Amino acid sequence: MSLTRIRHRALHGKVMSAAQAAGFIRDGMTVGMSGFTRAGDCKAVPEALAARAAHDPLHITLITGASLGHDTDRLLAEAGVLARRLPFQVDRSLRRKINAGEVMFIDQHLSETVEQLRSHHLAPIDVAVIEAVAITETGGIVPTTSVGNSAQFAQQARQVIVEINLSMPEALEGLHDIYVPQDRPARQPVPLTSPAQRIGQPFIAVDPSRIAAIVFTDKPDSPSNVLPPDDETRAIAGHINRFLMDEVHAGRMPATLHPLQAGIGTIANAVLQGFEDSDLQGLTMYSEVLQDSAIALLDSGKLAFASAASMTLSEPVYRRVIENLDFYRSRLVLRPQEISNLPEIVRRFGIIALNTALEFDIYGNVNSTHVNGTHMMNGIGGSGDFARNAHLSIFVSKSVARDGDISSVVPMVPHVDHTEHDVDVLVTEMGLADLRGLAPRERALRVIEHCAHPDYRADLKDYFQRACRRAGGQTPHLLDEAYSWHTRYARTQTMRRAPARAREAEVVLAG
Amino acid sequence: MSLTRIRHRALHGKVMSAAQAAGFIRDGMTVGMSGFTRAGDCKAVPEALAARAAHDPLHITLITGASLGHDTDRLLAEAGVLARRLPFQVDRSLRRKINAGEVMFIDQHLSETVEQLRSHHLAPIDVAVIEAVAITETGGIVPTTSVGNSAQFAQQARQVIVEINLSMPEALEGLHDIYVPQDRPARQPVPLTSPAQRIGQPFIAVDPSRIAAIVFTDKPDSPSNVLPPDDETRAIAGHINRFLMDEVHAGRMPATLHPLQAGIGTIANAVLQGFEDSDLQGLTMYSEVLQDSAIALLDSGKLAFASAASMTLSEPVYRRVIENLDFYRSRLVLRPQEISNLPEIVRRFGIIALNTALEFDIYGNVNSTHVNGTHMMNGIGGSGDFARNAHLSIFVSKSVARDGDISSVVPMVPHVDHTEHDVDVLVTEMGLADLRGLAPRERALRVIEHCAHPDYRADLKDYFQRACRRAGGQTPHLLDEAYSWHTRYARTQTMRRAPARAREAEVVLAG
C-alpha cells in the first residue's frame, strides 16, 4: 500500500529496514540528515544507527539543517557516534559532550553550511538521510515539514537514504520550492523578489540511481516546546509593536511593514502573537522557521504570506495545518535554508529581523551562544544571516535571568556573535533602545536607561562613567573589570554586588 | 575655458568661489562629501568651511565614502566643525577627538551608510559636495577617482555643490558605472554577474535644479602613503600565494581564482605584489580600493580586470594611469561603494577577501578597529561586507608590533569586529592557519602553532590548556585573565611576562 508513495517504480526494490539502511553509514563518514528545528528530521535511521553503535562502535561527522527532534542528538551522542557536529543543536546531552571537548561542534551561520560543502571547505557528504512524503515519478524527493539543507545533501551525497513518513500526508507535496544556486564564481542572481514567489521545483531532484535505501516510518515530528507568553514577553512584544507602528507613522515603512523574520523560541513567538492586537495588516514573513504564532497570524488574516525553511508547531496547530492544507498551500512556502537565510535576499527585501540574545552589553554587542563566554548553548543559527543584512535588526531578551541574579545587560559580553554594527534595536521588558545613528557612548546611555533592570542600572552607569573617565576612547571599557560581573556570578551565584546590609550581617556573623 | 567642463549651459551661472559655496552649509546640517580612501575627495569647500568656522562657529554631521585626503578631517576637526562623523576616517587629530568623546563617530560597514540614509535611519543629507571632472549635458555629475557614496548623496541632498577638479582629465569620463538600487522592499536583484560587467550609467544623474554651486579646483588627490613590502609582509604574501595555489591544485578553485578583494594598506598591497611572482593568470579584482599593486598586476597582464569604488595611488602610478587611460578604460571600473561592497555580489561571486587585522585571538575572532579595546584606530571599513560573505575570508597581520612588545595573537580580543564564524584563514609572517571546518579548540592549536610569534607561543598554549582544564566549554577562556596581556601592556609597555632572570635581577636590586 505504502509503495504508492514511491512513484518511481524502479525504486520499489530499495525498501528495507532502518537497521539495514543504517548499514550504509560507516565509521569515519560524513552524514547529512534532514531536519530543521525539530521539523522534518529523519526518525528511524538515526535510532538504528545508535542501536548498532552499542555493539559496533563508529564515529561520524553529522551535518543537519538545524536542530533535530526525537532525542536523536542525545541518542547519537550517548552512543558515542558523533565525532563532529554542525551547524546547530539544542540537546542537553550533546551540549555536555560539546562543552567537555568530546564532540567537535562547528557553530555556523545557517546559510553557509551548504555553501561550504559546495566549495569543498567541508568534507563531502557520504550518505544523506532525508525524510520525505513521497518520491516522484522521476525519483525526486518531496520533503516533509522542513527543507533545511536536504536539497544540497541529497544532490551531493554518494548515497541517499529516504525515510518516507506515512504519518505525513502526501498533500504536503507542492508546499516546497526547491531552488539551488549555481556553483561560484559563475552564479546568477537568485531571482526572488517577494516572499510569495516560487522560483524552483516542488521536489529535490536527484539521480534515482543514488537512492540506496528507502525506509518507511510513521512517527510524527516532535512537537514544538515553546512556552506561552508571560508578563515579560508580553511587555517585550508591546514595545516592539509600538516601535513598528511609530516607524509606519513616521513614513519610514509601509503599513504592511517589510517582510519579518523571527527567531525560534518563546520570546519571538510572543512578539508575533502580539501583532494580533495591533493595527498591522497584510504582513509577510520571510523567516527560517514558522512557529504557532505565524499560523495564527495567517488564520486571522494579519499575515498574507509566510516563507521559511521549516515549520515547527505544537501538536494541535500541526493538526490544523495538515487538515486545512488547501488554505495554507497558497499562503506558505518552505525553501532551502540557503535561500530562506540568503544575505542577498535579506538585504534586497529589507527584512525586519527579530532574534533572541542570551545577553548584550552596553554598547550593543550581542552574545547569542556562549553561557559565561565559554559554554555553548545552541548555536548562532540564522541570526547572523538576518541581523547583518536586515533593514532593522532587533534583539530581544528578558532584562534578568535566574530570579534576577543574572543581568542580561552587562558591561561587556564575554562572547560576541553580533557586533554593534549589526544591532539596531535592543528590547527587554523594561523598554526599547533605538540605537540607529548613535555612537557607542550614546548607545551605552540609551541601553542602560531603556533596557537594564533597575537593580543593575546604577552599577552599569557607574561602570560606564568610570570607563569614560579612566580609559576613554570610542568604546570606553575597564579591561580589568569588564568581566567582573561574570566572574562574580561564577563565584557567588549572583551578579549583584553584596548589598551593604548583607555585608554587615556577614561581618556580625563572622564576629 | 574651464566652463567647457560644464556641458549643461544653464549651470554656468552657478560657478562661485569655494567660500561662497561653503555658505550653503549651515550649523546643524548633515553634509555628504565625496571621497573614499583619499581619492576623489572635494578639496576646496571643506577648506573654506574650516576657515569660516574660525570666526563663525558651526557644527555638522559629516558623512563621506571613507577617508579623506588633504588633512580635511584634521582641518575640520580642529576647527570644531565635526559634531558627528561617519563611516570611516584615518586622521590623527580627528581620532584624538573621537577617542576623547568630543566627536561622535559612527563606525559602519561601508556598504550600509547609504542604505541607512535611504531607509531614513540617518538624518537626510542637506548638502552634498561632490568632486567631478565634468557635468554632462543633462546635468549628470562625472566623478573623479572615486565614486564612494557620491551617487546617493547627490541624489538625496536638497542642495548639491560640485567641485570640478581641473587637474583631473576629462578622459576619466566613462570609467564609472553608476547603478543605484531601488528602494526596499520592492527592490530588484542587482544584475551584476561578473566584475567587468557594466549595469549603470557613466555619471550620477541629478536634477540640475538642485545643483546650487559649482567650484573649480586644481589640487590633485593626496597620494597614497603605503609603505613598500618588508621581510614580514613579503613572507605573508608568500604564505597566501602558496595557499591559493594549493587550493587550485586541489581543485577547489579555478586557476583564475575567484575575484579578489584586498583591503587598504601596506600588507594587502604587498600580498598583491606577491602575485607577480606566482603562476596565477587571468585574475580579477572586485574590491573597494585599488592600490598601486592592482595597477601593476594590470600592467603585467596577471590581472584581467579590476572593479572598485576608488583608486588610491602613489603619484607616479597615478600619472601612469592618467596618461594611459585608453589602456585602463577597458580593464577598470569604479562603482558606488554600496555595489562594490554589496553582500549580494560578494556572496554571488564567491570573493576571496584579504583584510588586515589589528589583532586576533586564538579562536579566530578579529579586532580591526580598537586599540586596547577602547581607542578607535580607523574603523571597520568594508572588511565586514567582504569577510562575512566571502568564499574565503583571510585576515593578515604581523605577528608582533612595537618591537615585539605587542603580540598580535592574544588570548581574547578586547573588541570583536569579525567573529570566528567569518574568519577562514589567518596569516602572519610566521605562517598560515587554515581554520575551515574546525571547532574552536582545534582552531586554537592551529592559530598558536602557525601564526603566533615564538616568543608568545608557549604562553598562549599555557593559557589555552589552563582554560580547557579550569573552564572547559566550546570556547575555553579564563575570564579573570583573558585580558591580562592587554592590561600588562598598559602597565609595563610590554605583553611579555617579566622573564625569570629579569625578575631575579629586580629582586637583587630591591635587596
Side-chain angles (χ1 to χ4, degrees), chain B residues 78-118:
Chain B
E78 290 179 354
V81 173
L82 301 180
R84 198 170 279 275
R85 180 77 176 88
L86 55 157
F88 191 79
Q89 56 75 42
V90 298
D91 182 79
R92 190 175 302 198
S93 296
L94 173 55
R95 189 181 293 148
R96 198 156 39 225
K97 283 184 177 267
I98 287 168
N99 287 320
E102 293 165 21
V103 175
M104 292 295 103
F105 177 60
I106 300 144
D107 182 27
Q108 293 189 318
H109 301 304
L110 293 186
S111 79
E112 291 189 356
T113 306
V114 298
E115 204 74 277
Q116 292 186 16
L117 283 168
R118 202 178 274 128

Side-chain angles (χ1 to χ4, degrees), chain B residues 174-437:
Chain B
L175 211 63
H176 313 89
D177 185 53
I178 313 295
Y179 177 91
V180 176
Q182 300 85 2
D183 286 354
R184 301 180 294 187
R187 177 177 294 174
Q188 294 300 305
V190 176
L192 201 66
T193 56
S194 91
Q197 191 184 348
R198 288 174 175 272
I199 57 175
Q201 294 181 297
F203 54 81
I204 300 166
V206 291
D207 172 0
S209 72
R210 285 191 296 105
I211 296 183
I214 299 172
V215 175
F216 285 104
T217 71
D218 58 4
K219 269 193 201 170
D221 283 343
S222 299
S224 91
N225 48 7
V226 298
L227 300 170
D230 58 22
D231 288 348
E232 282 86 21
T233 56
R234 257 191 298 268
I236 290 170
H239 298 312
I240 293 178
N241 257 298
R242 274 187 296 279
F243 171 76
L244 293 175
M245 288 309 293
D246 288 348
E247 289 294 293
V248 171
H249 292 144
R252 284 191 287 266
M253 269 198 290
T256 51
L257 302 182
H258 285 206
L260 292 157
Q261 173 260 337
I264 189 89
T266 302
I267 303 184
N269 205 49
V271 170
L272 287 192
Q273 274 188 296
F275 287 150
E276 294 287 3
D277 309 322
S278 75
D279 294 333
L280 297 164
Q281 286 292 350
L283 303 175
T284 55
M285 281 189 81
Y286 192 82
S287 196
E288 52 183 26
V289 189
L290 302 181
Q291 300 189 95
D292 284 5
S293 50
I295 302 302
L297 288 170
L298 285 171
D299 292 346
S300 68
K302 291 264 175 201
L303 190 61
F305 197 89
S307 164
S310 91
M311 17 183 218
T312 300
L313 307 174
S314 67
E315 212 282 330
V317 176
Y318 171 75
R319 278 283 132 232
R320 195 161 79 235
V321 170
I322 291 302
E323 285 162 15
N324 297 281
L325 271 173
D326 281 345
F327 173 82
Y328 294 105
R329 198 187 306 284
S330 57
R331 291 165 176 84
L332 263 186
V333 65
L334 297 180
R335 306 180 190 276
Q337 70 198 66
E338 65 173 326
I339 302 298
S340 68
N341 290 28
L342 190 67
E344 170 174 343
I345 304 296
V346 177
R347 179 80 168 249
R348 182 181 303 153
F349 288 0
I351 279 172
I352 301 171
L354 276 172
N355 289 288
T356 306
L358 214 53
E359 59 182 346
F360 50 82
D361 69 28
I362 56 176
Y363 298 111
N365 299 285
V366 168
N367 174 11
S368 306
T369 55
H370 280 66
V371 175
N372 220 26
T374 54
H375 281 59
M376 175 55 60
M377 192 70 194
N378 302 330
I380 191 166
S383 57
D385 291 323
F386 289 98
R388 170 67 64 92
N389 299 291
H391 162 80
L392 271 173
S393 164
I394 305 173
F395 280 89
V396 298
S397 173
K398 295 189 181 185
S399 70
V400 291
R402 301 248 167 139
D403 297 328
D405 283 321
I406 294 178
S407 173
S408 306
V409 188
V410 295
M412 185 190 245
V413 287
H415 182 88
V416 177
D417 291 293
H418 308 286
T419 72
E420 49 141 340
H421 311 289
D422 301 327
V423 178
D424 296 318
V425 173
L426 289 170
V427 196
T428 68
E429 78 282 9
M430 293 297 155
L432 179 148
D434 180 358
L435 306 176
R436 293 174 294 174

Side-chain angles (χ1 to χ4, degrees), chain A residues 84 99 370 442 473 475 483, chain B residues 84 99 370 442 473 475 483:
Chain A
R84 198 170 280 274
N99 287 319
H370 281 66
E442 299 169 308
T475 307
Y483 294 146
Chain B
R84 198 170 279 275
N99 287 320
H370 280 66
E442 298 168 308
T475 307
Y483 294 146

Side-chain angles (χ1 to χ4, degrees), chain A residues 175-211:
Chain A
L175 212 63
H176 313 89
D177 185 54
I178 312 295
Y179 176 91
V180 176
Q182 299 86 1
D183 286 354
R184 301 180 293 186
R187 178 178 292 174
Q188 294 300 305
V190 177
L192 202 65
T193 56
S194 91
Q197 192 184 348
R198 287 173 176 273
I199 57 175
Q201 294 181 296
F203 54 80
I204 299 166
V206 291
D207 171 0
S209 71
R210 286 190 295 105
I211 296 183

